[in-house]
């Protein structure tokens, strides 16, 4: 099963923005691990926003 190109771009941009990882490093991650990092960043951002911090 392939991952939709648009979703892959979104995940890659999100990780690159927050972690400054290279495109090759991001694409080298297994799908499940990449999604786990996206969820973790989202969780951190949500927590910071709820606490009045800058996301």
């Amino acid at each position: 099963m392939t991952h939709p190109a648009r979703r892959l771009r979104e995940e890659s941009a999100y990780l690159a923005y927050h972690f400054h990882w290279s495109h090759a490093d991001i694409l080298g991650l297994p799908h499940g691990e990449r999604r786990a990092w996206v969820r973790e960043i989202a969780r951190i951002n949500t927590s910071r926003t709820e606490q009045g911090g800058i996301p």
Side-chain angles (χ1 to χ4, degrees):
M1 180 174 175
T2 60
H3 199 57
R6 181 177 178 176
R7 184 65 175 263
L8 183 58
R9 269 194 315 275
E10 290 170 354
E11 291 175 0
S12 297
Y14 195 71
L15 292 172
Y17 176 81
H18 287 282
F19 285 162
H20 309 286
W21 288 351
S22 73
H23 187 250
D25 288 341
I26 293 167
L27 292 181
L29 293 171
H31 172 68
E33 186 173 348
R34 190 174 54 249
R35 289 295 304 145
W37 282 112
V38 167
R39 284 190 304 272
E40 184 61 18
I41 293 168
R43 185 194 64 75
I44 292 167
N45 285 341
T46 299
S47 176
R48 291 181 69 189
T49 300
E50 289 172 353
Q51 294 173 7
I54 300 171

